Amino acid sequence: MSRILIIEDELSIAELERDYLELSDFEVEIETNGETGLQRALKENFDLFILDLMLPGVDGFEICKRIRQAKNTPILMVSAKKDDIDKIRGLGLGADDYITKPFSPSELVARVKAHLSRYERLIGSGAQENEVIEIRGLKIDKTARRVFVNGEEKAFTTKEFDLLTFLAQNPNHVFTKEELFTRIWGMESIGDIATVTVHIKKIREKIELNTSKPQYIETIWGVGYRFKV
Ligand code: CA
């Protein structure tokens, strides 16, 4: 549930706004003083602010500026004077929208919903983006540690995944088996470079159409391997 803070000194207006927003399933808090409103806006987590311009304590201009310095939460500014709205626009304080009083509650709710969904898309796109390497039909999702070949998921062990990812991240670079062993297994590991050969063979069986003619991991005879792009 989205949480909204209304900073408005005319309680009857604030309550009207709250009632309509609550009907649309928003959680709404009211602050009638600029100073306490600003403090709460900075300290607590709200998803949107509805901010009146003329307030006792600190005015809406200052509150908008101070919130913007700290967060990207949408701010909807409200004023009784059209001239003030023009003034705020001109100042570029970073408010997302402006409404002149009197406004219909349904218009307010519509604008709140529009700004919240736009903001959620913005946040979501950043949080959900996985780091992916895509080369021809091969897709390596580094975040989810999953590998797909022509859309079909293949099961990889941890070391197979690490080895494939390392090679794919350094395309056309030839690595010796010793280098790969050190990189993936570490100096202190028990084992030998034959482990690398075994893992390359297993990876090829999963990603190559024809393991005798590899399209991705190429053997450089007498040296090692490279990932072809
Ligand atoms: Ca006011």
Side-chain angles (χ1 to χ4, degrees):
M1 191 190 282
S2 295
R3 206 162 162 248
I4 298 169
L5 178 65
I6 298 173
I7 309 176
E8 165 70 71
D9 58 324
E10 284 170 76
L11 195 58
S12 59
I13 292 180
E15 285 174 345
L16 181 71
E17 292 171 356
R18 183 189 60 197
D19 292 349
Y20 271 87
L21 289 164
E22 282 180 349
L23 282 175
S24 295
D25 279 340
F26 293 112
E27 191 185 323
V28 184
E29 306 266 335
I30 294 173
E31 274 300 330
T32 52
N33 177 278
E35 183 61 43
T36 42
L38 174 60
Q39 291 316 315
R40 289 193 66 187
L42 295 176
K43 275 188 206 135
E44 297 178 33
N45 277 324
F46 289 99
D47 300 295
L48 186 138
F49 300 105
I50 297 174
L51 180 59
D52 183 34
L53 194 58
M54 291 307 162
L55 291 163
V58 186
D59 70 17
F61 291 104
E62 183 65 19
I63 295 174
C64 184
K65 201 172 77 186
R66 297 273 301 274
I67 293 175
R68 242 334 138 255
Q69 284 167 354
K71 17 183 115 176
N72 291 319
T73 314
I75 303 172
L76 234 140
M77 289 202 80
V78 174
S79 174
K81 291 191 216 151
K82 172 86 173 58
D83 290 353
D84 284 338
I85 299 279
D86 293 338
K87 195 173 155 198
I88 321 169
R89 280 186 205 274
L91 285 172
L93 295 174
D96 295 85
D97 207 351
Y98 312 88
I99 303 184
T100 315
K101 289 184 212 172
F103 48 81
S104 75
S106 57
E107 188 193 353
L108 178 78
V109 172
R111 294 215 200 174
V112 164
K113 282 182 178 171
H115 285 287
L116 278 172
S117 64
R118 190 183 60 86
Y119 187 63
E120 275 155 18
R121 274 202 307 278
L122 210 71
I123 299 276
S125 62
Q128 287 166 9
E129 201 153 308
N130 284 11
E131 204 182 331
V132 170
I133 302 172
E134 261 189 296
I135 300 150
R136 297 186 293 274
L138 177 68
K139 181 176 158 189
I140 305 167
D141 186 330
K142 286 179 65 189
T143 315
R145 295 185 66 92
R146 297 169 79 180
V147 179
F148 300 84
V149 180
N150 297 318
E152 191 188 329
E153 184 164 10
K154 303 283 176 176
F156 272 67
T157 65
T158 305
K159 292 298 178 199
E160 287 167 6
F161 183 87
D162 291 344
L163 182 56
L164 173 66
T165 306
F166 176 73
L167 287 167
Q169 274 179 324
N170 297 280
N172 297 325
H173 185 123
V174 180
F175 292 99
T176 65
K177 290 174 188 173
E178 289 83 355
E179 280 172 331
L180 292 173
F181 186 77
T182 307
R183 293 266 189 178
I184 308 301
W185 281 266
M187 296 287 268
E188 72 287 354
S189 293
I190 301 161
D192 56 68
I193 57 167
T195 312
V196 177
T197 317
V198 172
H199 277 72
I200 293 284
K201 183 172 176 285
K202 285 182 177 164
I203 293 170
R204 279 179 176 155
E205 284 165 3
K206 293 170 191 181
I207 66 169
E208 300 286 0
L209 205 61
N210 180 351
T211 51
S212 60
K213 282 184 185 169
Q215 299 297 303
Y216 297 106
I217 301 174
E218 192 182 23
T219 303
I220 309 297
W221 293 109
V223 188
Y225 301 100
R226 79 165 170 192
F227 194 97
K228 275 195 296 188
V229 169

